C-alpha cells in the first residue's frame, strides 16, 4: 500500500517538473507475438518509409543478419513493421540497437559534412552570388570536388568520342 | 558484430559521405550527396519535405468580415501565408503545451484590421498588413550558433515573409467601399505531414544516376532512345557518360544524389537540412529510448502487439520471461517468416500455428 502511494507521488512530481516528454510519450516500439531472441518482428508506431527503408538498409549491412525486411501492413494505420533474423544466436536487440546508433552516426557525419561544405561555399562567395555551376578555380578546395572535375573532364572527352561513333 | 562499417568507411577524412555544394542563394541550395545509400538519402528527402516543424496560421477568429470572400475561404488563405520560423526550435508544440487556451510559448497572435471607408478603388489586403501581437518573449530571438548565421537574417518568429520587390507579400483579398476585414489569427507550430501549409520546402529535386547506367528507369522511345531523349544537362556533367560498349553492371548501386533543395523563404535552406537531420535523429533517439526501457525489464513492450491484443495476461512469448528459454518459439529456431508460414487455410494466429499456443478468440 505504502509503495503504491509513493509511486503516485513520484509520477505527479515528475509531471510538475516538466518532464513531459517522458510522461506523455507512449511506448512506440512493440514486439510482435511469436518473436524469439534471434528472429523477431517489431512494430514501430507512427513511423513510415522515412525510417523504415533506411533502418532496413542499415540492418542488412550487418553481417550477423540473415534477413531484414520492413512493411507497412495497412496504409491507414500509422504502423511500420520490421522483421529481423540473425545468424549464430546474435540478439536481435543488439542488432536493432546497433543499427539505430549507426544511423544516428551517419546523420551526424552528413550534417557535419554539409555544414563544412556550406561554410566553405560561403567563404568562397562572400556576396552569395548566384552562379551557374562553379568556376574551376573555386572548385579546387577538396579532393572530392577535384575528383568530380576529373570525372567531368574525362566525361566530356568520352562523351564526344561516343557521339562521333554514332 | 564488429568488423563491418555502416557506411563503407575506409580511412580518415575521405571516408564516408561527402557533400559538395553547387549553388546556394536565399531560398535554394543545390548540392551533391555522395557515398551514401539511396535509402538514407531518401530518408533525408522525405523528412525535409514532411517533418520539419514550421509555423503557420492554424486558427482564425473572424471579428468582422464583410468582404466578398467567405470566412472559411479566408481562413484557408491565411493559413497558407508563409511566416518566419526564426527560433521555431524554442516553440512548444500546441498539443504538448499545458496552457489553457493559448500562451506565448505555443502561439503567435497576428491581427489583421483593414477597412475601405471611402475609396472607389479596391483596397488590397496583403500579408504585410498582418501584425504580430505577441511574440513569446525575447528569448526567441537569441542567437543560436548551431544552426549557422544565416537564420539571423530572418524577421522575428511569426512575421509574414515578404519576398516580392514591393515587400507586400501574398494578396489576401480586396475590399470594396464599405467592406471591412477584422481578424485575429493564431499561428502554431506544426509539420507538413499534417497540413502542407507547414512545409518549409517548395520543392526538392532528387536525382541519381543521370545517365541511367543502373537502368532503374526504362526510357520510352520510337526508334532510338539516345537520339530522342535529351542529355542530362546539369547533373549529367558530374558523371561520366556511358561509352556505349561497356557491360551492364548489375551490381552497381546509386551513390551520388543531386539534391535541389528549394525553400519557401520561411526558413533558410541550410537550416531546413539541419532541422531535417535533427528530426531524423530524434526519431532514432526515441526508439533507442524505448529499446532501453524494454531491456530494463519493463513489460509494457511485450503485451502482444496491437489490435487485436493477445488474450488475457498471456505474454507474447508464451513464457514467463521476455525472451528467455521458456518461449513457445524457442524450440524451433529455424522457423522463417511467421506471417506466411501456415499454408492457405490456417490463419497465422489460428490453432495450427507453431508459436501461438493460445490462439486468438
Amino acid at each position: 500500500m505504502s509503495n503504491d502511494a509513493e509511486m503516485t507521488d513520484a509520477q505527479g512530481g515528475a509531471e510538475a517538473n516538466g518532464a513531459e516528454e517522458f510522461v506523455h510519450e507512449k511506448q512506440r516500439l512493440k514486439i510482435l507475438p511469436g518473436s524469439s531472441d534471434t528472429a523477431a518482428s517489431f512494430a514501430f508506431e507512427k513511423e513510415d518509409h522515412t525510417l523504415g527503408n533506411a533502418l532496413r538498409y542499415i540492418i542488412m549491412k550487418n553481417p550477423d543478419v540473415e534477413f531484414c525486411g520492413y512493411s507497412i501492413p495497412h496504409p491507414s494505420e500509422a504502423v511500420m513493421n520490421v522483421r529481423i533474423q540473425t545468424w549464430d544466436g546474435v540478439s536481435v536487440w543488439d542488432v536493432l540497437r546497433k543499427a539505430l546508433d549507426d544511423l544516428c552516426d551517419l546523420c551526424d557525419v552528413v550534417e557535419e559534412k554539409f555544414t563544412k561544405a556550406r561554410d566553405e561555399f560561403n567563404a568562397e562567395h562572400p556576396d552569395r552570388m548566384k552562379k551557374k555551376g562553379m568556376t574551376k578555380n573555386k572548385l579546387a578546395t577538396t579532393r572530392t570536388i577535384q575528383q568530380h572535375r576529373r570525372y567531368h573532364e574525362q566525361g566530356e572527352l568520352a562523351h564526344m568520342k561516343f557521339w562521333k561513333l554514332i | 558484430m564488429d568488423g563491418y562499417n555502416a557506411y563503407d568507411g575506409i580511412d580518415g577524412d575521405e571516408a564516408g559521405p561527402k557533400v559538395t555544394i553547387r549553388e546556394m542563394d536565399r531560398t535554394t541550395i543545390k548540392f551533391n550527396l555522395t557515398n551514401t545509400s539511396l535509402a538514407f538519402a531518401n530518408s533525408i528527402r522525405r523528412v525535409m519535405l514532411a517533418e520539419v516543424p514550421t509555423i503557420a496560421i492554424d486558427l482564425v477568429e473572424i471579428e468582422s468580415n464583410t468582404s466578398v470572400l467567405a470566412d472559411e475561404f479566408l481562413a484557408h488563405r491565411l493559413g497558407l501565408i508563409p511566416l518566419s520560423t526564426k527560433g521555431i526550435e524554442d516553440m512548444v508544440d500546441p498539443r504538448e503545451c499545458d496552457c489553457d487556451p493559448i500562451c506565448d510559448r505555443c502561439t503567435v497572435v497576428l491581427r489583421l484590421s483593414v477597412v475601405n471607408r471611402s475609396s472607389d478603388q479596391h483596397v488590397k489586403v496583403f500579408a504585410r498588413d498582418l501584425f504580430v501581437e505577441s511574440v513569446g518573449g525575447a528569448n526567441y530571438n537569441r542567437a543560436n550558433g548551431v544552426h549557422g548565421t544565416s537564420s539571423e537574417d530572418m524577421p522575428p518568429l511569426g512575421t509574414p515573409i515578404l519576398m516580392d520587390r514591393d515587400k507586400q507579400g501574398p494578396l489576401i483579398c480586396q475590399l470594396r467601399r464599405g467592406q471591412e476585414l477584422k481578424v485575429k489569427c493564431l499561428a502554431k507550430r506544426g509539420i507538413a505531414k499534417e497540413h502542407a501549409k507547414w512545409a518549409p520546402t517548395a520543392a526538392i529535386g532528387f536525382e541519381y544516376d543521370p545517365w541511367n547506367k543502373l537502368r532503374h528507369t526504362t526510357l520510352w522511345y520510337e526508334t532510338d532512345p539516345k537520339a530522342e531523349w535529351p542529355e542530362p544537362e546539369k547533373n549529367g556533367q558530374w558523371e561520366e557518360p556511358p561509352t556505349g560498349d561497356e557491360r551492364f553492371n548489375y551490381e552497381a548501386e546509386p551513390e551520388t544524389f543531386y539534391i535541389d533543395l528549394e525553400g519557401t523563404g520561411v526558413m533558410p535552406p541550410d537550416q531546413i537540412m539541419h532541422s531535417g537531420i535533427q528530426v531524423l535523429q530524434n526519431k532514432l533517439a526515441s526508439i533507442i529510448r524505448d529499446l532501453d526501457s524494454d531491456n530494463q525489464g519493463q513489460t509494457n513492450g511485450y503485451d502482444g502487439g496491437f489490435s487485436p491484443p493477445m488474450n488475457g495476461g498471456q505474454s507474447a512469448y508464451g513464457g514467463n520471461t521476455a525472451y528467455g528459454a521458456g518461449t513457445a518459439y524457442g524450440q524451433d529456431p529455424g522457423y522463417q517468416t511467421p506471417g506466411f508460414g501456415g499454408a492457405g487455410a490456417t490463419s497465422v494466429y489460428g490453432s495450427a500455428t507453431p508459436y501461438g499456443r493460445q490462439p486468438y478468440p
Side-chain angles (χ1 to χ4, degrees):
Chain A
M1 283 299 278
S2 60
N3 278 344
D4 286 354
E6 233 170 70
M7 273 184 74
T8 329
D9 278 336
Q11 275 179 341
E15 244 170 4
N17 287 335
E20 287 154 41
E21 304 156 292
F22 296 95
V23 178
H24 282 295
E25 219 166 305
K26 263 174 50 195
Q27 179 92 6
R28 282 165 62 222
L29 177 64
K30 282 179 176 165
I31 186 154
L32 294 181
S35 299
S36 80
D37 205 13
T38 57
S41 301
F42 299 91
F44 293 73
E45 275 175 25
K46 291 185 190 160
E47 293 297 348
D48 56 8
H49 301 279
T50 305
L51 188 77
N53 195 24
L55 196 60
R56 191 218 92 240
Y57 167 81
I58 222 108
I59 292 173
M60 277 304 278
K61 280 248 165 197
N62 190 331
D64 290 325
V65 173
E66 179 200 13
F67 170 83
C68 179
Y70 83 102
S71 83
I72 289 163
H74 196 283
S76 5
E77 268 188 313
V79 173
M80 187 234 354
N81 289 352
V82 174
R83 173 80 180 168
I84 306 173
Q85 291 171 203
T86 59
W87 299 112
D88 307 326
V90 175
S91 163
V92 286
W93 300 92
D94 294 345
V95 166
L96 180 59
R97 221 213 134 88
K98 177 159 176 55
L100 292 164
D101 286 338
D102 284 345
L103 207 48
C104 228
D105 292 344
L106 183 52
C107 285
D108 279 335
V109 171
V110 170
E111 173 144 37
E112 179 198 310
K113 295 275 168 88
F114 179 82
T115 312
K116 207 176 129 205
R118 180 200 63 188
D119 292 344
E120 277 172 9
F121 187 89
N122 281 341
E124 288 163 20
H125 305 258
D127 49 345
R128 272 262 189 111
M129 262 170 51
K130 199 179 173 184
K131 281 220 171 5
K132 283 269 176 196
M134 295 161 91
T135 58
K136 282 191 174 181
N137 289 338
K138 285 178 177 173
L139 269 173
T141 45
T142 64
R143 211 179 292 173
T144 323
I145 300 173
Q146 282 174 348
Q147 196 175 11
H148 269 303
R149 192 175 58 194
R150 197 161 50 77
Y151 279 148
H152 183 143
E153 283 162 1
Q154 285 177 347
E156 264 178 356
L157 279 176
H159 188 227
M160 278 159 64
K161 276 183 207 158
F162 171 68
W163 280 106
K164 267 179 202 161
L165 282 173
I166 292 182
Chain B
M1 290 279 286
D2 40 312
Y4 95 94
N5 196 314
Y7 32 82
D8 290 327
I10 307 148
D11 50 357
D13 200 37
E14 291 294 300
K18 296 180 181 110
V19 175
T20 312
I21 293 188
R22 285 175 282 147
E23 278 179 56
M24 178 152 67
D25 64 25
R26 197 159 54 119
T27 56
T28 308
I29 285 190
K30 299 184 177 179
F31 63 98
N32 301 352
L33 183 59
T34 314
N35 268 352
T36 39
S37 67
L38 179 57
F40 180 71
N42 192 43
S43 286
I44 289 187
R45 181 191 68 88
R46 285 175 64 98
V47 99
M48 289 192 296
L49 266 181
E51 297 187 51
V52 169
T54 63
I55 182 173
I57 292 171
D58 197 32
L59 283 167
V60 179
E61 291 172 18
I62 294 179
E63 288 163 37
S64 165
N65 172 23
T66 50
S67 78
V68 291
L69 300 186
D71 290 1
E72 52 271 52
F73 192 107
L74 264 174
H76 178 244
R77 288 182 74 75
L78 287 164
L80 297 174
I81 291 170
L83 305 178
S84 171
T85 56
K86 187 182 185 182
I88 186 77
E89 56 271 17
D90 296 326
M91 201 177 184
V92 178
D93 189 289
R95 276 180 271 260
E96 281 168 22
C97 193
D98 38 30
C99 59
D100 190 15
I102 56 165
C103 75
D104 278 351
R105 296 201 306 147
C106 66
T107 308
V108 173
V109 181
L110 295 112
R111 284 198 187 267
L112 179 66
S113 182
V114 189
V115 193
N116 181 354
R117 290 194 201 287
S118 54
S119 171
D120 280 334
Q121 286 212 309
H122 292 171
V123 167
K124 290 181 174 173
V125 184
F126 289 103
R128 64 151 182 216
D129 301 320
L130 281 163
F131 288 101
V132 176
E133 191 179 78
S134 70
V135 171
N139 59 328
Y140 281 168
N141 300 328
R142 76 193 167 96
N144 52 345
V146 186
H147 291 305
T149 51
S150 42
S151 63
E152 295 305 303
D153 310 332
M154 301 283 292
L157 183 70
T159 317
I161 300 287
L162 314 172
M163 306 254 287
D164 52 323
R165 200 193 53 206
D166 301 327
K167 300 283 172 220
Q168 297 182 129
L171 179 66
I172 296 165
C173 81
Q174 303 192 40
L175 301 175
R176 280 186 76 180
R177 192 213 294 262
Q179 292 179 343
E180 183 191 32
L181 189 56
K182 206 172 176 197
V183 161
K184 181 187 178 192
C185 307
L186 308 181
K188 313 229 172 193
R189 178 187 149 120
I191 57 171
K193 217 181 189 177
E194 183 176 341
H195 193 291
K197 69 186 176 184
W198 278 297
T201 53
I204 298 183
F206 185 86
E207 188 184 17
Y208 62 91
D209 188 27
W211 296 97
N212 195 29
K213 287 180 194 166
L214 306 173
R215 304 194 193 169
H216 284 196
T217 190
T218 313
L219 299 177
W220 182 91
Y221 63 93
E222 285 187 352
T223 50
D224 179 19
K226 289 189 186 81
E228 289 160 32
W229 284 90
E231 281 175 51
E233 269 179 34
K234 280 190 148 178
N235 301 337
Q237 304 299 308
W238 294 84
E239 284 183 25
E240 274 180 79
T243 53
D245 51 1
E246 71 224 330
R247 280 191 148 191
F248 173 53
N249 180 5
Y250 52 87
E251 284 181 314
E253 281 186 30
E255 53 182 21
T256 302
F257 304 92
Y258 304 92
I259 300 173
D260 297 2
L261 172 57
E262 207 178 299
T264 55
V266 129
M267 192 181 257
D270 54 325
Q271 212 205 317
I272 298 176
M273 178 76 178
H274 284 298
S275 306
I277 290 177
Q278 207 173 35
V279 169
L280 198 55
Q281 285 186 317
N282 286 345
K283 275 174 182 291
L284 296 165
S286 83
I287 296 166
I288 290 175
R289 208 188 56 219
D290 280 5
L291 210 52
D292 283 347
S293 69
D294 270 1
N295 285 335
Q296 279 157 18
Q298 292 178 13
T299 50
N300 53 352
Y302 302 112
D303 50 8
F306 32 96
S307 60
M310 291 290 283
N311 47 357
Q314 178 83 0
S315 139
Y317 292 97
N320 31 16
T321 58
Y323 34 89
T327 63
Y329 194 62
Q331 289 93 332
D332 191 10
Y335 186 72
Q336 297 286 313
T337 350
F340 306 98
T346 42
S347 138
V348 184
Y349 299 109
S351 52
T353 60
Y355 47 89
R357 281 180 184 161
Q358 197 85 16
Y360 276 108

